[in-house]
């Protein structure tokens, strides 16, 4: 298959339309068969539930080319499960998890020409999403829905290597209230827009959100979970019912324990103890792990010993092992890699 003529090393994280997207419609209590379409536009009634009451959920995953030339995606069953949980919380019908995986495979295959080559650092970002599509005016769930998958090639997250970033502790809440922080609903991201723009205006790369009840415990950032390393090499990651259950974090925990023989603690992490950690990173699909050099808590600076120049040693080992698994250089645990072609 001939690849599109794209300068893979120089694309950013933006939307570049590809040839095909998947769409399945829910009407009269059931999902239709679904199909690939070439039309990137969605036409909806002005009163569609998604516009009025933000009834929309989504997922984010990637397809990439492995060292031996296969196109693969990483643990799509976990994205299917998380989308189902998000949908249930917003009173939306679940798109069956096996059909989700089939549709992801079909959409990636149809856009094979846009899957960046091995070694380019670029990947094909895959965005499954669902929304309430029929008009409602009283506050209630829609009766009709669309499940869609769009894809777009994205460039390497870090050009010229991962440089540690600076984070501030924020007084804003990341998610909409009522304990919805564990779902990937559009409304949570809308809630975070002001906080992230405010952080950028103040010169910070990201926000560290605290638990809204006591404001003493570390939750996550606007788009990634935290992972810390203690001075004696234990991996520590916050446990909370109001953070997004990151697939990258769950995979890193497994890698730490089973590939690197590290001790892992998933527990409540207090802001007060962050100063004692040796390394800090953010984990998510976009960058796998991005190192954090400094956290600023209302003017008080916490600097990690690994500094602002490069990843700490344990963070680096975790990063290299997980990306090695994803790119086919290291053998993956059973079921982690879904081969598309
Ligand atoms: C709020 C939030 N936390 C964490 C993550 C990381 O999750 P994953 O590793 O599944 O990409 C994301 C990624 O989309 C996110 O939006």
């Amino acid at each position: 298959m001939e690849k599109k003529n794209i300068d893979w090393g120089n694309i950013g994280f933006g939307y570049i339309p590809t040839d095909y997207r998947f769409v399945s419609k829910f009407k009269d209590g059931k999902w239709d068969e679904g199909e690939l379409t070439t039309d990137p536009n969605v036409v909806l009634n002005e009163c569609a539930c998604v516009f009025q009451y933000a009834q929309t959920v989504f997922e984010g995953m990637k397809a990439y080319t492995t060292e031996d030339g296969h196109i693969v995606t990483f643990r799509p069953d976990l994205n299917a499960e998380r989308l189902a949980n998000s949908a249930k919380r917003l009173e939306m019908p679940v798109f069956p998890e096996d059909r989700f995986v089939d549709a992801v495979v079909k959409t990636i295959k149809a856009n094979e020409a846009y899957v960046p080559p091995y070694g380019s650092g670029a990947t094909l970002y895959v965005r499954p999403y669902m929304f309430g599509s029929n008009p409602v005016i009283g506050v209630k769930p829609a009766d009709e829905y669309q499940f869609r998958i769009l894809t777009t090639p994205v460039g390497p997250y870090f050009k010229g290597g991962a440089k540690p970033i600076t984070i501030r502790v924020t007084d804003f809440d990341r998610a909409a209230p009522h304990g919805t922080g564990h779902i990937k609903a559009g409304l949570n991201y809308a809630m975070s827009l002001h906080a992230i723009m405010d952080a950028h205006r103040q010169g910070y790369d990201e926000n560290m959100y605290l638990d809204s009840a006591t404001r003493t415990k570390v939750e996550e950032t606007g788009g990634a979970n935290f992972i810390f390393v203690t001075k004696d090499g234990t991996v520590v990651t916050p446990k909370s019912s109001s953070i997004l259950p990151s697939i990258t974090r769950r995979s890193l925990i497994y890698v730490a324990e089973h590939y690197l023989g590290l001790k892992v603690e998933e527990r409540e992490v207090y802001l007060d103890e962050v100063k004692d950690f040796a390394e800090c990173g953010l984990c998510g699909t976009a960058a796998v792990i991005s190192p954090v050099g400094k956290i600023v808590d209302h003017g008080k600076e916490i600097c990690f010993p690994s500094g602002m120049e490069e990843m700490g040693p344990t963070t680096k080992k975790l990063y290299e092992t997980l990306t090695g698994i994803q790119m086919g250089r290291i053998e993956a645990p059973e079921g982690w890699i879904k081969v598309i072609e």
Side-chain angles (χ1 to χ4, degrees):
M1 150 76 59
E2 196 161 329
K3 293 287 175 189
K4 296 282 170 180
N5 186 18
I6 293 175
D7 182 7
W8 304 108
N10 283 306
I11 50 174
F13 200 91
Y15 171 69
I16 300 170
T18 62
D19 293 340
Y20 297 98
R21 58 279 299 138
F22 180 84
V23 54
S24 173
K25 294 183 176 165
F26 182 90
K27 198 177 171 172
D28 300 327
K30 57 180 190 301
W31 290 104
D32 71 11
E33 221 169 87
E35 60 176 2
L36 292 169
T37 158
T38 55
D39 186 357
N41 297 307
V42 182
V43 178
L44 296 177
N45 183 276
E46 61 189 350
C47 212
C49 196
V50 59
F51 296 140
Q52 305 308 326
Y53 303 123
Q55 197 186 20
T56 176
V57 295
F58 66 101
E59 271 304 321
M61 52 208 292
K62 282 177 167 179
Y64 34 81
T65 309
T66 57
E67 191 170 31
D68 61 0
H70 291 294
I71 294 175
V72 301
T73 188
F74 186 67
R75 310 187 78 179
D77 50 320
L78 298 187
N79 294 98
E81 183 188 29
R82 196 167 63 186
L83 188 77
N85 289 334
S86 298
K88 285 180 203 158
R89 183 62 178 78
L90 293 198
E91 290 292 333
M92 305 168 86
V94 166
F95 193 76
E97 293 177 35
D98 53 338
R99 288 196 56 201
F100 173 103
V101 175
D102 288 348
V104 163
V105 169
K106 201 168 156 182
T107 312
I108 296 170
K109 211 175 254 183
N111 293 297
E112 199 189 330
Y114 291 90
V115 182
Y118 176 76
S120 64
T123 53
L124 186 73
Y125 184 75
V126 180
R127 166 58 60 88
Y129 61 111
M130 249 174 79
F131 50 85
S133 54
N134 66 299
V136 295
I137 196 70
V139 180
K140 61 174 186 187
D143 305 307
E144 294 176 14
Y145 294 86
Q146 290 190 23
F147 167 78
R148 287 181 165 258
I149 305 172
L150 70 82
T151 59
T152 186
V154 293
Y157 199 78
F158 298 114
K159 289 216 177 84
K163 281 277 183 220
I165 59 166
T166 301
I167 291 185
R168 68 148 185 204
V169 177
T170 180
D171 298 321
F172 290 113
D173 286 320
R174 176 184 69 88
H178 316 305
T180 56
H182 63 296
I183 62 165
K184 215 163 160 58
L187 66 110
N188 285 339
Y189 295 81
M191 293 299 289
S192 74
L193 295 176
H194 176 63
I196 189 65
M197 294 312 288
D198 188 65
H200 290 169
R201 285 189 284 265
Q202 315 264 344
Y204 301 104
D205 298 297
E206 260 295 353
N207 289 301
M208 171 189 272
Y209 293 98
L210 302 177
D211 73 297
S212 55
T214 71
R215 309 213 84 85
T216 57
K217 287 178 272 186
V218 176
E219 294 256 300
E220 60 173 327
T221 66
N225 285 177
F226 278 103
I227 200 147
F228 299 100
V229 182
T230 65
K231 290 184 182 124
D232 59 6
T234 299
V235 175
V236 179
T237 181
K239 188 183 178 80
S240 162
S241 59
S242 50
I243 63 176
L244 195 79
S246 159
I247 293 164
T248 313
R249 172 175 51 90
R250 286 182 266 166
S251 305
L252 286 168
I253 288 174
Y254 187 92
V255 163
E257 285 180 330
H258 296 90
Y259 283 66
L260 303 176
L262 300 172
K263 206 173 137 220
V264 176
E265 291 173 5
E266 194 181 354
R267 59 166 171 85
E268 291 183 330
V269 174
Y270 287 86
L271 178 59
D272 279 352
E273 61 179 308
V274 167
K275 62 178 187 338
D276 301 324
F277 290 125
E279 297 174 41
C280 173
L282 299 181
C283 58
T285 296
V288 182
I289 309 186
S290 42
V292 175
K294 197 196 285 187
I295 296 175
V296 181
D297 174 18
H298 301 85
K300 208 168 60 206
E301 291 194 353
I302 300 168
C303 296
F304 294 99
S306 43
M308 293 299 287
E309 288 312 309
E310 54 187 304
M311 281 190 182
T314 302
T315 306
K316 192 161 181 174
K317 263 191 247 165
L318 285 167
Y319 175 83
E320 283 181 350
T321 311
L322 185 55
T323 51
I325 289 170
Q326 292 175 328
M327 293 296 168
R329 297 184 297 260
I330 297 174
E331 194 176 339
E334 180 79 32
W336 277 24
I337 303 295
K338 178 91 188 163
V339 179
I340 310 288
E341 282 269 313

